[in-house]
Amino acid sequence: MDLASPAPKVEPAFATKAQQSEEITVEAAVPSKTPHVESVRSVGPAETVDDPRKYAPAAAKQTAKPSLLGAAALRGNTGSDFESKAAVLRGAPKKDLLKRFLPIIFDERDFVAYGEVERFILVKGSCCFVFTEETDPSPLYSIPLEDIVPKLEDPKKPDKKSVTISPKTVSSNAAMRENVSKEEMKTVLLKYRNGKHAYQFTFDASKDESIAKRFIDALERGQKVPEGKVISESVANAKAVGKKGAKAQPSI
């Protein structure tokens, strides 16, 4: 069997003594000369060689025109016949089978909070315009007044097709409510001439007791506008806007 050869012998290690370095001499700092600062020379005002506006980009012109469909355009120079905020509902609430076949037990009136269905309405000529807000660029829809009959609802004997707006609380328990509107709520019903329920407008009359009556008067005046009568430009605009808006009425 081949074996590895033994390691060779080495001489013992030794270290030489470090040589002594020369001493380093540091010279003392020499003070520098006091700096001399000259004052800034004054210069004359700058003079333009040419009109700088000549080369500046032209400012964008505001060409946007106010909407011809908004409330301001409908008012025109002659104003509106009536305008206010109101809770607006279209048609009668749908009834399920229980309400249809067992009305004595299950035919409780539907109700909704005033703020949930609040709209801005404006009457001009023979149209009633319904906006979400007064500042909207156009109405949601318009209601032709020729075929409707307005009627003030009796709060003690509400119409079966109407909805209770903001029912009043009769106890500290919010769940215990009498299903009639608060005293300040005044409702005007719009019926088609065939008796079918068309719309419900409920007004907050807390600051104006006559608001519902004034609304009815404006609707009745709008129904009496004779054909061929000379009308103002704003009334003509309202009539044109109303004709288009009538097609956008919610379905019943």
Side-chain angles (χ1 to χ4, degrees), residues 3-249:
L3 298 175
S5 59
K9 292 183 179 181
V10 296
E11 297 178 358
F14 67 93
T16 58
K17 184 178 181 182
Q19 295 180 357
Q20 186 174 1
S21 62
E22 297 179 358
E23 295 182 357
I24 300 175
T25 304
V26 180
E27 296 182 356
V30 179
S32 62
K33 296 180 180 180
T34 305
H36 176 68
V37 181
E38 295 182 358
S39 60
V40 179
R41 296 180 182 180
S42 60
V43 295
E47 297 181 3
T48 57
V49 178
D50 205 345
D51 185 0
R53 292 174 295 180
K54 179 180 178 181
Y55 305 99
K61 295 182 179 180
Q62 300 294 332
T63 57
K65 297 181 180 180
S67 172
L68 296 177
L69 309 178
L74 293 174
R75 294 186 189 105
N77 296 327
T78 57
S80 64
D81 298 322
F82 176 88
E83 58 183 86
S84 173
K85 290 185 176 180
V88 183
L89 293 172
R90 167 67 156 155
K94 295 182 180 180
K95 295 185 178 183
D96 55 26
L97 292 176
L98 292 176
K99 288 185 177 181
R100 290 180 181 180
F101 296 106
L102 297 173
I104 297 177
I105 301 175
F106 296 101
D107 197 18
E108 182 180 0
R109 286 176 57 81
D110 292 331
F111 61 88
V112 66
Y114 178 89
E116 293 184 34
V117 289
E118 184 187 60
R119 299 288 185 265
F120 175 78
I121 60 173
L122 184 149
V123 179
K124 179 87 171 186
S126 58
C127 292
C128 176
F129 300 91
V130 180
F131 295 80
T132 301
E133 298 288 345
E134 181 179 357
T135 54
D136 288 349
S138 62
L140 294 171
Y141 54 89
S142 62
I143 306 170
L145 303 181
E146 293 86 353
D147 298 326
I148 58 98
V149 178
K151 177 184 177 183
L152 184 64
E153 183 180 60
D154 184 351
K156 296 181 180 180
K157 297 179 180 180
D159 192 282
K160 293 182 178 181
K161 302 291 186 180
S162 69
V163 174
T164 301
I165 303 296
S166 294
K168 59 183 179 180
T169 305
V170 294
S171 74
S172 58
N173 185 352
M176 298 296 294
R177 298 179 185 273
E178 185 179 353
N179 202 352
V180 293
S181 297
K182 297 177 181 178
E183 286 79 359
E184 61 268 24
M185 296 296 166
K186 306 298 180 183
T187 295
V188 176
L189 303 176
L190 303 188
K191 301 280 188 177
Y192 290 115
R193 297 193 183 279
N194 60 7
K196 188 175 181 179
H197 186 76
Y199 286 93
Q200 171 180 338
F201 288 78
T202 300
F203 299 90
D204 182 354
S206 57
K207 296 181 180 180
D208 183 2
E209 285 287 339
S210 66
I211 189 168
K213 178 63 168 57
R214 291 192 295 107
F215 177 60
I216 293 176
D217 291 343
L219 298 183
E220 292 178 342
R221 286 196 303 270
Q223 294 174 333
K224 296 176 182 178
V225 177
E227 289 293 335
K229 179 183 178 181
V230 178
I231 56 178
S232 65
E233 182 180 354
S234 61
V235 173
N237 178 55
K239 188 174 182 179
V241 175
K243 187 175 182 180
K244 294 180 180 179
K247 299 177 182 179
Q249 293 181 88

